[in-house]
Structures are given as structure tokens and as C-alpha cells.
Amino acid sequence: MAFPFITSKTVIKFFLSFAILISFLLSLSHGDEVANTTNEVPKGWAMPTEQNPLKIVVPGRTSFQKFVKVDYSGKKLDNSKFDGWCIDVFKEVLKILPYSLPFEFNALNVSYEELVHGVYNKTYDAVVGDVTILADRTKYVEFTQPFAESGLSMVVPAKPEGSAWMFLKPFTWKMWLATGVVLIYTMLIVWFLEHQCNPEFNGPLKNQIGTTIWFTFSTLFFAHREKVYSNLTRVVVVVWLFVVLILTSSYTANLSSMLTVLRLQPVRDIEWLRSSNAKIGCDGDSFVMTYLQEVLKFNLKNIIKVKTESDYEEHFRNKSIAAAFFELPYEKVFIDKYRKGFTTSTQTYRFGGFGFVFQKGSPITKDFSEAILRLSEDGTLTNLEDKWLTPSRGCSTDQTSSDTDPLSIQSFWGLYLISAAISTICFLLSLIRLLKNYQHPQEANEDNATPSPIRVWNKAVGLAKYFYNGEIITPGRASSSSRTPDLHSWTSLRWEDVRTIDIPHDINQASPPSEIEVS
């Protein structure tokens, strides 16, 4: 029997509607399944119950009780007797887990290796405490994501550095030497430029030396009062004052840093500890002792086991140890408590951090790791660390990560080069002017003469005496004659007896020096 009202289009529409309905129902059932799986407990393992809770072992004795603290008072040791930073982190993780996790704490006074081995042989289900994640331990157990970073840090007594020669330490010896050379060179240039035109730089030789030294050293404190007449001298002095400004500012800053910043005294670094066979302290129950022996190559005889936090301070006070090695979280606690007496070195050796320990293949490990990441992202872990480890926020563990180095010549050689170059240029310009003003009386007769070492020496001596004994030209005063000085009369005098005030009156009038141009 035929149904004329049923067409091919009607059949297609029917099947399409049916397919859409089936897809919608499947999506609803899949959504319900996904929603239900978020609240399901992990499969494949017998989950803890109230009758059979998770057996958690906790370090019963720790060097720093802020990490794990067990109250042994009373007859019964229940979960309420356990406290500390690691315990609080564990409780915060439980709040985030999507299922209930009954647990039972057990305290054991054994090493951390034995605690990890107790989980490996399935005596316990987990370890909660300040257990460091190490590669060797991951072969036997599983660790969660670290809830704290870890690394080896060295703590030493802190003392302000000081000595009778502390004022020399801001500069290296090469820096002091270069400064002295530039100072003396500038002093000689100033004397040369001012000798003939400045009365204060003339007179007896000892007065000239005294005035020149006083003028140059007083510029170090910007306390010079002597006038300068030469423009070339003014250029030299201005450049030198700029050099002095930079040097004094750098010296003051570096000296202040050396006097105020705490130092690692007398301990310098780990290499110094090894070479000097100094005694060091560490926690004997942690892996740090093995690390110091096998990796840092310390002699076992020089390693002292320290049991409690207060014992470290006592060992330092008795000078039985020169340094102590902590993992970074312990170092924060120690420095926070004894911030005025100790300081730390730069952290060099890093480890995997602190994590909770579970048996191999435990599905709870993944849930704990996710919860720890959430606590890290929302700032809960930071707040717990501030609460337990560093309650005194006025203390910094990076007080003296390194010493302040003396300033070297490499930082100032350009400045010295500029000063020396300017002084040399001014000296050459003044020397050229002096040569132009100096006219030898026999120069015209000796133009065609063959030069000889004696003639060259006589000319040099004549020029030197002309410079030293020439008439002093001061502002407002000019020479009355343009004749050149009598060289033979000057060479007949002894050099050490030549003084401006001792030159005979007839010599000055017979052969006055030519006028010296004042630059």
C-alpha cells in the first residue's frame, strides 16, 4: 500500500531530526560524566579512610623548629601536636583537594634518608617535612612540586671592615701611583707657566718650590688662593680641578661603602676555607654533610655536626667554627634571628627545593602538586613563608653578597690622559713663545757654523737661564728695552747662586731681557 504523502524530502528531514536528538542526549550524558569525575577519588589505589588513614611520617627532631615542631607533652601524640611551616603548607593543600583525605602523623627521630626509605619500603605512605628533592631520592619515591626553593648558603660572622690604613683601600696602588704622577706633572707645568709672569712663583728656589707644592695640593680641596696670570695656566688648572672633582667624589663614595657595608671577615670564600683547613658546621642529619665532603671536597675532620639552631650561635661565639652551611630556607630563619651578628655569602649551589614524599605510582602525588601550584599562584605560600621564616621584614639576607672592590686605573685612565694632554699642549705653546722671545747675541754669526754638541749644550743652558732669570713681567709692567740678555754674564754665575733679588743693578740695566709675552 502506498503513502503518497511521504516523500524523499520528508524521510531526510526525519532522519536529520533523529540524529540531532541523539547527539544532544549523548552530550548531556557526557557532561554529567565529566562533572562526576571531578569529584571522584583516584582509582587503582586503596584510598585512606577514617579506619585506615594515610600514614604520614614527620621528622621528630629538626635543627630549626619553625619548619616542623612536635609537642611531646601529654600522654598521647595526636595530629594537634604537630606544627610548623611545613605542616601549615600540608594543611593548606588539604583544603584545595576535591576529596577528603584522612591522615595520621607519626614522629621519628631519624635521619631524612631513613624517613625517605620508610616510604620506599611502604612502612609509611608519605613524608611531610623539610625534605629536599634530590635526584638519588627520586629513584625510590615520588616528590610533589617543590613548595620552597633550596640551595646551599654559607653564613659567617659579620664585622665592619676596618684598619689603620683603611683610607688607602678605595683606590688600588696603581691608582694612587697614577694620581701622584699626574699631580706632580701638573705641579711642574703650573710652575713653568707662572714662573716668569707671576711674582708668587718667583724668588728664592725654596719659596718657588713651596708655593708650587702648596698651590697644587690646595687644589685637591679647592682651597687655593694664589692668583694665576697666564691664560694657559688657567686652562691647565680648570682641567685639573675637574679631575680632582671626579676623584674626590669616587673616593668618598667607595670609602663610605667600605666602612658601612658588612664584610665576610676573616672568611673570604669556600676556597679559602678549604685551603686554611678551617672548621665548618652543618646539620649532621641532612644531605648537606655528604655534599660538603663529596662535591665541595671538605675534609671530614673539619666538619662539625650541629644539632640545634642555638648551637650554631654558640659555636660561632666560641670560634669553634669559621662558617656554617645552610640550605636557603634555614639560612633565612637564622639571619632573621641573628641579623646583627652574621651575614651570608652569594648562593652558588642550588637544589630541587622542598617537597612532600609519596610512594612510587601514588595518584595523590599529582593532586598535591596541582594544589601546591595553586597555592604558589595565589600568594598563600609567600604569606606562610613570611609568617614562619622571616617575620622580621627589616632584615635582608643579601647584606654582603660581595665585597666592594677598590677603584682601579682602568676606570680613570681616560681622565688622566685628558689632563696630561692639555697640560702638555699648554707647556708646548708656552715653550714656543719662550723660544721666540729668546734671542742669542751671537746667533747671526753662527748661522753658518757647523752645530756641535758643545754649542747645543750652551744654547740649552742659555735658554734655561734666560727662563729662570728673565725679567718678571707682571700686569701693567713692560720692559723698558727690547735688547736680549747678556748670555756671557749669566753663564759666569753659579746656578745655585742665581736669584732674582741678587742680580746686580748694572747687569739688569746693561742687558735687560726682552719682554716676555703674557699669555
Side-chain angles (χ1 to χ4, degrees):
M1 180 177 180
F3 297 94
F5 57 89
I6 299 178
T7 63
S8 60
K9 291 183 178 180
T10 304
V11 174
I12 293 173
K13 289 181 179 179
F14 174 77
F15 279 107
L16 287 175
S17 300
F18 182 76
I20 292 173
L21 178 62
I22 295 299
S23 300
F24 177 74
L25 293 176
L26 289 175
S27 64
L28 288 179
S29 61
H30 179 70
D32 293 339
E33 183 180 354
V34 171
N36 292 333
T37 56
T38 57
N39 293 323
E40 289 182 357
V41 297
K43 302 293 184 179
W45 282 67
M47 292 303 296
T49 61
E50 295 294 339
Q51 293 75 23
N52 188 24
L54 191 72
K55 294 181 180 180
I56 299 177
V57 63
V58 175
R61 175 175 51 83
T62 59
S63 299
F64 294 84
Q65 294 189 351
K66 286 189 175 184
F67 293 87
V68 176
K69 182 179 180 181
V70 182
D71 184 6
Y72 291 99
S73 62
K75 297 181 179 179
K76 185 178 180 181
L77 190 64
D78 53 21
N79 291 346
S80 62
K81 301 290 186 178
F82 295 82
D83 196 10
W85 176 48
C86 299
I87 303 299
D88 276 6
V89 173
F90 175 78
K91 292 179 179 179
E92 290 294 331
V93 170
L94 294 181
K95 295 178 183 178
I96 299 180
L97 293 180
Y99 49 85
S100 175
L101 188 66
F103 66 91
E104 179 185 34
F105 283 140
N106 298 271
L108 282 182
N109 294 328
V110 295
S111 66
Y112 287 84
E113 295 297 334
E114 293 178 283
L115 294 177
V116 173
H117 190 266
V119 176
Y120 169 70
N121 60 23
K122 297 184 179 181
T123 304
Y124 300 97
D125 299 316
V127 178
V128 172
D130 48 341
V131 183
T132 304
I133 302 174
L134 299 175
D136 291 339
R137 293 175 179 176
T138 57
K139 298 177 181 179
Y140 310 103
V141 294
E142 286 191 3
F143 285 90
T144 63
Q145 284 287 333
F147 57 87
E149 64 175 338
S150 179
L152 193 63
S153 179
M154 182 177 69
V155 175
V156 297
K159 296 179 181 179
E161 184 178 1
S163 66
W165 304 101
M166 184 67 188
F167 66 93
L168 296 176
K169 292 188 176 182
F171 290 162
T172 61
W173 70 268
K174 293 183 179 179
M175 183 69 177
W176 284 114
L177 180 61
T179 304
V181 170
V182 175
L183 174 65
I184 294 174
Y185 183 71
T186 304
M187 178 176 63
L188 295 176
I189 296 298
V190 169
W191 173 81
F192 181 85
L193 297 176
E194 290 292 309
H195 173 69
Q196 286 192 316
C197 62
N198 193 336
E200 296 185 4
F201 288 84
N202 206 278
L205 184 59
K206 61 180 181 181
N207 291 346
Q208 296 181 44
I209 295 175
T211 302
T212 305
I213 294 176
W214 167 255
F215 174 81
T216 309
F217 276 92
S218 61
T219 57
L220 297 175
F221 312 99
F222 304 96
H224 52 285
R225 295 183 179 180
E226 291 78 9
K227 294 181 180 180
V228 292
Y229 294 117
S230 173
N231 289 329
L232 295 177
T233 308
R234 294 188 179 99
V235 173
V236 172
V237 172
V238 167
V239 175
W240 171 247
L241 290 178
F242 177 74
V243 174
V244 170
L245 177 64
I246 300 300
L247 290 179
T248 53
S249 301
S250 303
Y251 176 86
T252 303
N254 209 31
L255 181 61
S256 300
S257 176
M258 289 183 172
L259 291 175
T260 56
V261 178
L262 295 177
R263 300 274 174 245
L264 303 182
Q265 292 289 337
V267 178
R268 299 183 182 92
D269 50 28
I270 293 178
E271 182 62 31
W272 183 89
L273 288 172
R274 284 198 298 257
S275 60
S276 61
N277 290 323
K279 300 292 184 179
I280 59 175
C282 71
D283 186 359
D285 294 331
S286 70
F287 76 98
V288 175
M289 184 172 179
T290 304
Y291 189 89
L292 292 174
Q293 290 179 251
E294 298 180 355
V295 179
L296 299 185
K297 306 302 180 183
F298 278 99
N299 194 326
L300 180 60
K301 298 179 180 179
N302 296 329
I303 302 176
I304 296 179
K305 297 180 180 180
V306 184
K307 295 182 178 180
T308 63
E309 176 184 355
S310 58
D311 290 343
Y312 284 102
E313 196 272 338
E314 183 178 354
H315 280 294
F316 277 121
R317 188 173 60 252
N318 298 334
K319 297 183 178 180
S320 55
I321 60 175
F325 286 87
F326 298 97
E327 290 185 73
L328 183 59
Y330 304 122
E331 174 252 315
K332 290 181 179 180
V333 175
F334 187 82
I335 293 295
D336 183 75
K337 184 175 182 180
Y338 303 101
R339 72 181 70 93
K340 293 183 179 180
F342 300 93
T343 186
T344 65
S345 66
T346 304
Q347 182 183 345
T348 305
Y349 308 96
R350 292 185 175 274
F351 308 124
F354 287 172
F356 299 133
V357 182
F358 289 92
Q359 295 178 7
K360 279 283 188 179
S362 174
I364 303 178
T365 308
K366 178 178 178 294
D367 297 335
F368 264 70
S369 296
E370 292 179 357
I372 290 174
L373 290 176
R374 291 185 182 181
L375 293 176
S376 177
E377 293 170 359
D378 63 19
T380 303
L381 291 182
T382 302
N383 295 334
L384 289 176
E385 183 176 340
D386 294 341
K387 172 187 174 183
W388 284 100
L389 306 187
T390 56
S392 303
R393 300 302 297 173
C395 156
S396 174
T397 59
D398 298 327
Q399 294 178 34
T400 57
S401 58
S402 61
D403 291 341
T404 302
D405 296 326
L407 299 176
S408 64
I409 188 64
Q410 297 178 355
S411 303
F412 297 92
W413 70 267
L415 192 64
Y416 287 157
L417 180 62
I418 293 174
S419 177
I422 295 297
S423 299
T424 303
I425 293 173
C426 293
F427 167 75
L428 294 177
L429 291 175
S430 179
L431 184 61
I432 291 173
R433 290 178 179 178
L434 179 64
L435 290 172
K436 287 182 179 181
N437 291 331
Y438 174 70
Q439 298 294 333
H440 198 280
Q442 298 181 359
E443 238 178 17
N445 300 327
E446 297 178 356
D447 287 339
N448 298 326
T450 303
S452 64
I454 298 177
R455 290 192 182 93
V456 174
W457 172 255
N458 290 336
K459 288 182 180 181
V461 172
L463 179 60
K465 291 187 176 181
Y466 170 76
F467 164 74
Y468 188 82
N469 299 307
E471 183 179 0
I472 299 175
I473 307 299
T474 57
R477 177 183 176 183
S479 176
S480 60
S481 175
S482 59
R483 291 183 297 173
T484 59
D486 186 356
L487 176 62
H488 298 287
S489 62
W490 278 348
T491 54
S492 63
L493 298 175
R494 290 188 305 169
W495 178 264
E496 61 273 13
D497 295 332
V498 176
R499 300 288 185 272
T500 302
I501 59 174
D502 297 333
I503 296 176
H505 180 67
D506 56 345
I507 293 181
N508 287 333
Q509 293 198 1
S511 55
S514 60
E515 181 179 351
I516 299 175
E517 180 182 355
V518 179
S519 57

